[in-house]
Amino acid sequence: QIHANGNANGNAYVNGNATAYDYDYEPEPPMVVWSHKLRGFRPDSARDSSVWSNDLGKMVVEVSHLDMKIEVASTQTPFQRIHIYDTIDAKKRDIWSYHKSLSDDGSYESLNKELYKPDRIVFLEGVLQSTRLG
């Protein structure tokens, strides 16, 4: 069967030249970069009670140049709140190298997975405690 404006493989042609349009092509899902800003001014006492006003908010939630920010864990113990995030800072590294490191295609990235892991950040009560990258 011949497809409209193409051949049996689904490749489309414009003025006799092959284009990127292909019926068998599966596009990658879109990536979303998100951030959240707290509105208004708060007294220092309110900052202490909100984990979003501390390091967690400034280093992860409000930052819009992170290629990846994934909440790994969030829990409330009788004594404290714990948040753990994996992040990739676009200013220092890129998410494409991280994805390439997950493939086993023999590339430099896939052979050196440790170099491309996201930074794991641990917060207690919204205050930075440790990071994987230091």
Side-chain angles (χ1 to χ4, degrees), residues 78-122:
F79 306 104
Q80 60 196 356
R81 289 174 284 192
I82 303 167
H83 298 276
I84 302 173
Y85 279 84
D86 277 351
T87 65
I88 293 180
D89 188 341
K91 293 181 178 180
K92 299 175 185 169
R93 304 160 81 204
D94 66 283
I95 195 160
W96 305 115
S97 295
Y98 167 65
H99 285 299
K100 192 161 181 79
S101 75
L102 299 177
S103 69
D104 290 321
D105 62 357
S107 64
Y108 178 81
E109 292 87 349
S110 68
L111 297 174
N112 297 284
K113 295 178 188 311
E114 188 67 33
L115 299 176
Y116 299 96
K117 283 185 174 180
D119 191 12
R120 179 152 293 172
I121 307 173
V122 178

